[in-house]
Amino acid sequence: MKKIINDPNEVVQDMAAGLIAAHPDELQQLPGTTVIAKSNAPIKNKVAIVSGGGSGHEPAHAGYVGKGMLDAAVAGEVFTSPTPDQIFEAIKAVDGGAGVCLVIKNYTGDVLNFEMAAELAEAEGIDVEKVVVNDDVAVDEESSRRGIAGTVLVHKVAGAKAEQGGTLKEVKAAAEKVVENVRSMGMALTPCTVPAAGTPSFQLGENEMEIGIGIHGESGIERKSITTADDIAKELTDRILDDFDFTGGDVAVMINGLGSTPEMELYIVNKQVQAILAEKGITVYTTFVGEYMTSLEMTGCSVTLLKLDDELKTLLNEPSQAPAFRS
Amino acid sequence: MKKIINDPNEVVQDMAAGLIAAHPDELQQLPGTTVIAKSNAPIKNKVAIVSGGGSGHEPAHAGYVGKGMLDAAVAGEVFTSPTPDQIFEAIKAVDGGAGVCLVIKNYTGDVLNFEMAAELAEAEGIDVEKVVVNDDVAVDEESSRRGIAGTVLVHKVAGAKAEQGGTLKEVKAAAEKVVENVRSMGMALTPCTVPAAGTPSFQLGENEMEIGIGIHGESGIERKSITTADDIAKELTDRILDDFDFTGGDVAVMINGLGSTPEMELYIVNKQVQAILAEKGITVYTTFVGEYMTSLEMTGCSVTLLKLDDELKTLLNEPSQAPAFRS
């Protein structure tokens, strides 16, 4: 295991401290937790957005804490859901009286723990709504679909709606509109190693890649020989287009690196994705290329498409001051 | 070689096309070149900033083209200096009559080719100034020091000065102030593979790291067993502090990932760098953590410190609309 870390069991605490040290004016770590919140939270009468999940997906989620996106992110251990009590602390810290919208990636542990935290908060009189993101079309059954890079667009839209003064119900509705209209699909060339485990969670042959892999290395739909960037981009994009009708509206495109893929390669993938969309008559409104939802040092990428209406366009365009998503 | 590419000899062209496809309104590719320029170039009476170098360091340099930073970036083949004629095309395309400042990383090929391009431009009546960045303290001899991540801060400051209406001499002076006050040092855990070569340019043992390595894999100052993030951060920071007196002024800190290092680990390094600076009584004015100057998929990081005066603080704070450096 080649990593730049100290104690493998302290990576999340060390990371949180380093993140706060980088952004001391904008971010705070809630004492005794690995919750990262805006330093000026709670903001009176603004709906607060809270997300989180296992660590190892940086900049998700703490990098998205900032004006215009999240009010707090709860960092679990690496690839492990945060506990309900930590999520509850986050909710309490950011509620400004207008309620809190939880953005949850669709994993059993996350859903359970965020739900338990929501119940604890509601028992204290805080209004809470939940939005579950399940954009990964590699899984056939919609209810089992994992939340991956599309989650970042949910953060952006929910955060912007809250910043505009939307009510809790309006913020939830905007976030759910993204969930309904966003689809993603990923692939990997190499596995990654959870620091406390010390060995890769799976193996891929020297010439192998896995299509449809999850952001924790969950099984994909096919393991096969590495092919060209154009073929990979086509396979991911076709699967997304087969799943949902993206015609008749503009789309946002996100080409997301999983950790070790050079930005050069993400742009090469983007070239082909855009060509496919152009051929299908699908108009691209905006494009994001970079590392938005990673899997430690996994090599690979995902493609995300979000179908836009006027409201979503406006919300995507609103400013964000989050360290990992400035616009 | 596990890469998401098409023809290994076309990666730069493919990347450029993908970059333009992602930012069609802000960027343009000059026909017949791999020069990326602002779509609204030239801007009349504004000093233009041009940088570039071998590809493989993305987002450097094309990701820094945008209002407030570069007017154009010239992308050579991977780890290979761009040719004088390409640089000349960039200069001609962005000169708005106020002259062009070239920001050059201190490598023999880059310096020679940018100088030749400058001569060609001057022969056509374009005022050109050159600034050579040599921030890598891993090399003892100052004149041989390589330009690494500190170059991005030169882009930022020069771009802001030009945006403020600075003359060519003023822009050059601001850029040179950064060069005089910036120092960096890097390390790597793994090598990287140039696509057209197909095999790693060097080897590191399973438990080895190299301190002081260059961004093309140039030899560092020591190869030894991997140690903790804290020790690595201390070794890099101490070497920088030994080289230049950072006391008595605020500093900007950049913790830069070389390509495959998870952001989590960069923040862990940042934690220790900030602790060392605090202990020395050096005040951190602003911190950048991320991938700014990479080496394809090399695993490793660099630490950069820039001593600031009031002018540099103001210029760092000016807005930038470059895709890879929004502020």
Side-chain angles (χ1 to χ4, degrees), chain A residues 2 4-5 18 189 205 265 270, chain B residues 2 4 18 189 205 229-230 265 270:
Chain A
K2 286 195 142 179
I4 306 175
I5 59 174
L189 296 175
E265 298 174 29
N270 182 54
Chain B
K2 287 195 142 181
I4 306 174
L189 296 175
D230 282 357
E265 299 175 27
N270 182 54

Side-chain angles (χ1 to χ4, degrees), chain B residues 236-259:
Chain B
L236 300 184
T237 309
D238 282 353
R239 178 98 178 188
I240 291 168
L241 295 176
D242 284 349
D243 190 80
F244 185 80
D245 182 8
F246 281 95
T247 56
D250 293 355
V251 298
V253 175
M254 176 174 278
I255 312 294
N256 172 59
L258 292 183

Side-chain angles (χ1 to χ4, degrees), chain A residues 1-7 10-25 55-56 58-60 63 78 187 189-190 195 204-209 226-232 259-271 274 284-289 291 296-297 299-301 321 323-324 326-327, chain B residues 1-7 10-25 55-56 58-60 63 78 187 189-190 195 204-209 226-232 259-271 274 284-289 291 296-297 299-301 321 323-324 326-327:
Chain A
M1 177 174 66
K2 286 195 142 179
K3 289 186 184 290
I4 306 175
I5 59 174
N6 297 305
D7 182 342
E10 296 292 330
V11 291
V12 177
Q13 283 291 350
D14 282 356
M15 169 181 67
L19 180 64
I20 298 295
H23 304 285
D25 297 334
S55 293
E58 291 69 30
V78 177
M187 58 77 61
L189 296 175
T190 70
L204 272 171
E206 187 48 45
N207 292 307
E208 271 186 331
M209 63 178 182
I226 298 177
T227 176
T228 63
D230 281 357
D231 285 348
I232 291 168
S260 289
T261 301
E263 196 171 290
M264 169 186 281
E265 298 174 29
L266 300 179
Y267 278 114
I268 292 174
V269 169
N270 182 54
K271 177 188 175 212
Q274 305 268 345
V284 176
Y285 178 72
T286 185
T287 303
F288 304 95
V289 178
E291 293 188 339
L296 295 166
E297 74 283 3
T299 308
C301 68
Q321 287 299 316
R326 295 207 197 253
S327 59
Chain B
M1 176 173 68
K2 287 195 142 181
K3 290 186 185 288
I4 306 174
I5 58 175
N6 299 305
D7 182 343
E10 296 292 330
V11 291
V12 177
Q13 283 292 350
D14 282 357
M15 168 180 68
L19 180 65
I20 298 296
H23 304 285
D25 296 334
S55 293
E58 292 68 31
V78 177
M187 59 77 61
L189 296 175
T190 69
L204 273 169
E206 187 47 46
N207 293 306
E208 271 186 331
M209 62 178 181
I226 297 177
T227 176
T228 63
D230 282 357
D231 285 348
I232 290 168
S260 289
T261 301
E263 195 171 289
M264 168 185 281
E265 299 175 27
L266 300 179
Y267 277 114
I268 293 174
V269 169
N270 182 54
K271 177 187 176 213
Q274 303 270 345
V284 176
Y285 178 72
T286 186
T287 303
F288 304 95
V289 178
E291 293 188 339
L296 295 167
E297 73 283 6
T299 309
C301 68
Q321 287 299 318
R326 297 209 195 251
S327 60

Side-chain angles (χ1 to χ4, degrees), chain B residues 170-193:
Chain B
E170 289 166 345
V171 169
K172 182 187 181 174
E176 290 201 323
K177 193 192 280 183
V178 179
V179 174
E180 283 157 22
N181 288 280
V182 71
R183 298 291 186 280
S184 301
M185 173 101 169
M187 59 77 61
L189 296 175
T190 69
C192 61
T193 297

Side-chain angles (χ1 to χ4, degrees), chain A residues 127-150:
Chain A
D127 288 337
V128 179
E129 290 285 0
K130 301 179 294 286
V131 176
V132 177
V133 189
N134 63 341
D135 53 320
D136 188 353
V137 301
V139 180
D140 280 327
E141 179 63 49
E142 271 199 48
S143 64
S144 305
R145 285 185 174 176
R146 308 171 290 224
I148 55 174

